[in-house]
Amino acid sequence: MFFSRKILPALFNKEMALDLPKDAHIIVMAYDNAKPTGRRQTIPMALSNPIFVDVDGFMPNKDMLGKTLPVPKSDKPSTSEQ
């Protein structure tokens, strides 16, 4: 279906408050309640990519998944160790 100036897609413009107790990801789904269309009789719908929400600030878990970082070791102490 092609959109012309007479037929425009519906826009969603609303703010929603979310009470997230911990870090989360949000996925937005949009769909239409119209009758199925097309040869395959599908309902128009769309999904967003995940939106990652950091609630408590970045905190690394130090899980290296059993691997070491491929960086050369230095004799100098890091700035965080001084």
Side-chain angles (χ1 to χ4, degrees):
M1 175 179 202
F2 295 100
F3 293 105
S4 68
R5 292 193 184 269
K6 294 179 184 178
I7 302 172
L8 295 175
L11 300 177
F12 181 80
N13 186 16
K14 183 177 179 179
E15 291 184 18
M16 300 174 75
L18 300 174
D19 183 21
L20 302 172
K22 61 181 185 175
D23 292 351
H25 66 277
I26 300 166
I27 300 173
V28 179
M29 178 178 171
Y31 64 95
D32 189 359
N33 287 330
K35 292 171 39 176
T37 60
R39 188 170 24 140
R40 294 184 178 171
Q41 294 294 298
T42 58
I43 297 173
M45 66 167 288
L47 289 174
S48 73
N49 285 330
I51 303 165
F52 296 97
V53 181
D54 183 12
V55 174
D56 56 5
F58 177 71
M59 295 175 11
N61 66 4
K62 299 182 179 160
D63 182 2
M64 300 299 291
L65 303 175
K67 305 290 181 185
T68 57
L69 289 176
V71 294
K73 292 189 176 188
S74 173
D75 293 335
K76 297 178 183 178
S78 68
T79 56
S80 64
E81 294 176 1
Q82 294 178 354

